[in-house]
Amino acid sequence: MAGKKEAERNNAWLKMDEKQLQEAYDLSEGYLQFLNKVKTEREAVEFITQTAAESGFINIDSVEKLRPGDKAFLKVKSKVCALLVMGEDSLERGMNIVASHIDSPRLDLKPKPVYEADGLAMFKTHYYGGIKKYQWLAMPLALHGIVVKKDGQVINVCIGEGQNDCVFTITDLLPHLAKDQMEKKLADAVKGEDLNVLIGSRPLREAESDPVKQHIMEILHEKYNIKQDDFASAELEIVPAYSAREVGFDRSMIGAYGQDDRVCAYTSLKAALEVEKPKRTALCLFADKEEIGSCGNTGLHSLMIENIMAELLYKVGQSDYYTLRKTLASSCALSADVNAAVDPTYPDVFEKMNCSFLSSGVVLTKYTGSRGKVDSNDANPEFLGRIRKLFDDNQIVWQVGELGKVDIGGGGTVAKYMAYYGMEVVDCGVAVLGMHSPFEVVSKADIYMAYKGYKAFLQLF
Ligand code: MN
Ligand code: MN
């Protein structure tokens, strides 16, 4: 149990003084509010860019020339954003980048979602990202997202968050009739096509067919101007309807939906807001689509980073191809993403000398991947040496983390898509219990250490 003893020695709570403890609790207050306002990538972009604007960051679209010390934000398709603090050095000497993701596992509505069966109106869903399907049953659910009309009008939807809002749910089979279901493997007990959301039960008196569905469509039309065909051009996400909460008698933890990876998004946002006149340019990136492989034009497995760099270089008057390549290759990055904290109920999947523990500080994950590091960025030790020194010099409690035992499973992050350009990159984030569940748990001490780590890194030179 060497790992356990080491974790006790390395406990971030025990290493903080009174002032830091206060800062940690204050940070978590803001974080709770953020989690309750933000449950989708679009809501995250709104929150982050608004907060940045209030702190003096200007929209890059309104900037003609970028100068040292300038602070700007940019948006990509309302689903990705970035904060930028221009450094004294020329861009080709590289930037310090912290990249988190603001999408989380959830249930998306299908393009034709509404149907009626046995007197009930339902939504068909298609899950997004890696979920354990049974975890999404029998709890209050909210609907967030947008519907785009044919004329381009955008209808914002957020139902289930207000005290008096209605909520939705996916019903579970009663134990009395679940004999066959209970004998199935956990993975087969609830299928993707079983994740149907209950949305109504009262029929429309004058309807000829599907009267309950017709009633729901009438309500959607009257209240939101949404017709059945409009779901074809919509992005509607089913997420847990409950709020983020403090967990434990000691209130030392936060439990909430979507902390992978909004815990890193929030802490890197707070860090970026406090960067002033850095030597190297600081860039805080909030990406989409990580949970489904960083694909699409808002994921990092695209030319997005390159396009952002090209725009910055254009705005400092250095838009040649060589400088673009050089800027990318000489940059340093933290892939700000969560790791799995050791769960005492499931010790068998962790190798405790190399796993992360709750409250043991921000986690440096040298490599991810699975079964022989396959598909992983494996960070260079020269870079890791610099990060270790940076964290130690700034009293940042940190730990190493491997994602579970060799051969057990694995995962990936955006790190490899940044490494592609030649930049140095390592995964660095918060340890989470119950990752990808609808109620993930993190430690307030780790939130604080992540914030401090990102802030120090953004000012690295
Ligand atoms: Mn993640
Ligand atoms: Mn994830």
Side-chain angles (χ1 to χ4, degrees), residues 156-175:
N156 281 296
V157 177
C158 179
I159 307 166
E161 299 295 344
Q163 277 293 318
N164 297 313
D165 279 13
C166 64
V167 295
F168 315 98
T169 194
I170 301 171
T171 54
D172 197 1
L173 189 57
L174 61 167

Side-chain angles (χ1 to χ4, degrees), residues 101 260-261 290-291 337-338:
H101 66 91
D260 171 9
D261 184 31
E290 193 278 340
E291 294 295 356
D337 208 343
V338 297

Side-chain angles (χ1 to χ4, degrees), residues 224-259:
Y224 303 100
N225 187 27
I226 297 169
K227 290 192 159 181
Q228 193 155 323
D229 293 348
D230 295 331
F231 285 111
S233 49
E235 196 168 77
L236 291 166
E237 309 177 8
I238 295 281
V239 296
Y242 42 70
S243 312
R245 302 294 293 266
E246 291 175 302
V247 175
F249 288 115
D250 56 8
R251 297 173 181 265
S252 61
M253 297 165 281
I254 286 179
Y257 162 72
Q259 300 201 75

Side-chain angles (χ1 to χ4, degrees), residues 34 38 40-51 73-82 102 286-288:
F34 166 78
V38 169
T40 69
E41 54 279 28
R42 286 176 190 272
E43 290 166 356
V45 166
E46 273 307 296
F47 182 97
I48 292 163
T49 53
Q50 264 184 32
T51 306
F73 68 85
L74 60 92
K75 286 189 203 184
V76 182
K77 298 179 199 296
S78 305
K79 295 168 73 171
V80 171
C81 62
I102 49 178
F286 305 87
D288 183 28

Side-chain angles (χ1 to χ4, degrees), residues 98-338:
V98 175
S100 61
H101 66 91
I102 49 178
D103 61 318
S104 293
R106 60 182 190 245
L107 310 178
D108 285 343
L109 294 200
K110 293 193 184 192
K112 288 166 109 179
V114 195
Y115 71 103
E116 175 172 340
D118 303 319
L120 301 173
M122 315 283 282
F123 275 149
K124 292 298 292 179
T125 66
H126 195 137
Y127 62 94
Y128 171 102
I131 62 165
K132 289 164 96 175
K133 297 176 195 96
Y134 70 87
Q135 292 179 335
W136 287 75
L137 312 181
M139 67 161 146
L141 297 168
L143 182 67
H144 291 234
I146 63 163
V147 177
V148 182
K149 305 287 281 185
K150 275 202 281 190
D151 64 2
Q153 186 205 346
V154 176
I155 300 163
N156 281 296
V157 177
C158 179
I159 307 166
E161 299 295 344
Q163 277 293 318
N164 297 313
D165 279 13
C166 64
V167 295
F168 315 98
T169 194
I170 301 171
T171 54
D172 197 1
L173 189 57
L174 61 167
H176 317 64
L177 299 179
K179 185 174 166 290
D180 288 352
Q181 187 197 38
M182 299 286 263
E183 281 164 8
K184 287 181 185 168
K185 283 198 303 184
L186 203 52
D188 301 330
V190 180
K191 295 202 164 67
E193 291 296 350
D194 298 339
L195 296 173
N196 302 317
V197 182
L198 181 62
I199 57 168
S201 70
R202 178 176 163 184
L204 190 69
R205 211 176 283 270
E206 59 269 27
E208 281 173 12
S209 64
D210 291 346
V212 181
K213 173 181 160 180
Q214 295 306 328
H215 190 200
I216 297 299
M217 288 318 303
E218 193 183 85
I219 293 168
L220 288 177
H221 188 230
E222 273 173 17
K223 275 187 118 171
Y224 303 100
N225 187 27
I226 297 169
K227 290 192 159 181
Q228 193 155 323
D229 293 348
D230 295 331
F231 285 111
S233 49
E235 196 168 77
L236 291 166
E237 309 177 8
I238 295 281
V239 296
Y242 42 70
S243 312
R245 302 294 293 266
E246 291 175 302
V247 175
F249 288 115
D250 56 8
R251 297 173 181 265
S252 61
M253 297 165 281
I254 286 179
Y257 162 72
Q259 300 201 75
D260 171 9
D261 184 31
R262 288 184 206 119
V263 65
C264 299
Y266 184 75
T267 45
S268 59
L269 163 66
K270 293 298 278 185
L273 295 178
E274 293 173 6
V275 174
E276 296 286 347
K277 298 192 169 70
K279 188 150 165 35
R280 280 156 67 92
T281 294
L283 181 75
C284 213
L285 188 58
F286 305 87
D288 183 28
K289 292 283 181 281
E290 193 278 340
E291 294 295 356
I292 58 168
S294 295
C295 46
N297 60 16
T298 55
L300 285 190
H301 192 192
S302 70
L303 294 180
M304 186 166 51
I305 290 186
E306 219 168 312
N307 292 345
I308 290 172
M309 292 288 186
E311 180 168 7
L312 302 186
L313 287 164
Y314 177 78
K315 291 194 169 173
V316 297
Q318 269 193 300
S319 57
D320 61 289
Y321 185 77
Y322 169 77
T323 311
L324 173 64
R325 307 294 6 143
K326 181 101 171 131
T327 302
L328 286 161
S330 48
S331 289
C332 296
L334 295 183
S335 160
D337 208 343
V338 297

